[in-house]
Amino acid sequence: MPDPRRALQQKLADWQRAGLTHLPHVDLSERVERAPQARQSALQPAPAQREPPPEQPAPDRPPVAQPEPPRKPPPELPVTVSDLPRAQREQQLAALAETVSRCVRCPELAQARTQTVFGVGNPEARVMFIGEAPGADEDKQGEPFVGRAGQLMNKIIEACGWQRADLYICNILRCRPPGNRNPSPEEAANCREFLDGQIRTVDPDYIVCWGSVAAHNLLDDTTPIGKLRQKWYKYGRAQVLCTYHPSYLLRNPAAKKPVWDDMKFLLAEMGEEPPVA
Ligand code: URA
């Protein structure tokens, strides 16, 4: 009599060679050892779920791999509009900033920083800007986007008809990575609780991710930044737009045009118009 375990292994190997990459989760080893009858149902659909002939696949054909389900917003971020009064938002942000100022989760960053750079702006902002991490100027002054990239960002803000204080501005990281290197995934993960706390408290309608580090980390998506532009994503309740980082614009002035297109895309969605020059 053929060894049923061996026959099962053979079948799985055949399916793998045929390109099968996914099976519904079933503890096969346990079923083989303890329930010979159940082994059959683990590999074939239950009779009630089986497609009727002639659509029914041939017995040796592997089941069709299921596509990944669409990404869902993290459950911990509320999807209803916050009704927190301004004073309470200020209080929550101040408490979080105080916690951040004592943070040593990333030993290298904690040791090298002059100070943490939490975030600034309107605690009731409709729009939140998220950058990558503080640079040398931000590390000195304790405020995001105050160096050359920040000055360019200020011009973009003005061109949209806003003032810096209308917005809330922060970064993926709250400490400067030495030598302005990119944040590591561990550093971004360590700081995520603080970023999410800021998003939860400010509860913006819109988030702009400036550059690939912000976009990839917030959205958990590694699509190149140029392909993420001009589309809406969701994070909790907020609509998220991705665009090039202002530092990239300093090196590639030709990218100013697509960034301006992205700002117009945002303004149109908000029902606003850029002021006439
Ligand atoms: N670049 C960033 O991404 N953030 C800052 O705060 C400054 C420069």
Side-chain angles (χ1 to χ4, degrees), residues 117 130-136 138 143-147 149-150 153 169-173 210 214 245-247:
V117 180
I130 302 179
E132 180 177 324
E138 290 77 20
E143 182 169 331
F145 284 105
V146 290
M153 180 182 268
I169 306 176
C170 61
N171 283 303
I172 293 294
L173 293 193
W210 292 90
H245 194 282
S247 299

Side-chain angles (χ1 to χ4, degrees), residues 137-257:
D137 294 306
E138 290 77 20
D139 175 71
K140 268 197 211 106
Q141 297 184 43
E143 182 169 331
F145 284 105
V146 290
R148 280 186 69 218
Q151 282 159 26
L152 179 52
M153 180 182 268
N154 289 347
K155 286 189 184 156
I156 298 170
I157 292 170
E158 248 176 65
C160 290
W162 301 324
Q163 294 182 354
R164 206 173 140 99
D166 294 331
L167 313 172
Y168 191 87
I169 306 176
C170 61
N171 283 303
I172 293 294
L173 293 193
R174 271 127 212 82
C175 295
R176 180 192 182 207
N180 293 346
R181 63 162 170 74
N182 277 357
S184 73
E186 293 74 29
E187 290 162 352
N190 287 341
C191 224
R192 185 54 171 261
E193 181 189 338
F194 306 132
L195 173 63
D196 281 343
Q198 288 166 294
I199 297 173
R200 259 197 306 270
T201 300
V202 176
D203 185 31
D205 295 334
Y206 301 93
I207 291 175
V208 179
C209 288
W210 292 90
S212 56
V213 169
H216 293 172
N217 277 287
L218 187 80
L219 300 176
D220 190 21
D221 186 327
T222 55
T223 305
I225 186 72
K227 292 211 160 66
L228 290 170
R229 297 181 46 244
Q230 292 281 311
K231 292 181 195 117
W232 291 109
Y233 303 89
K234 236 11 198 174
Y235 191 70
R237 195 182 70 76
Q239 282 189 262
V240 180
L241 180 67
C242 304
T243 193
Y244 297 117
H245 194 282
S247 299
Y248 177 73
L249 304 191
L250 292 171
R251 298 190 303 272
N252 301 279
K256 287 180 183 175
K257 160 88 172 66

Side-chain angles (χ1 to χ4, degrees), residues 85-103:
R86 188 181 182 97
Q88 206 170 329
R89 293 178 196 228
E90 278 167 353
Q91 228 171 44
Q92 283 187 4
L93 290 170
L96 193 57
E98 206 277 321
T99 304
V100 165
S101 72
R102 290 181 280 107
C103 179

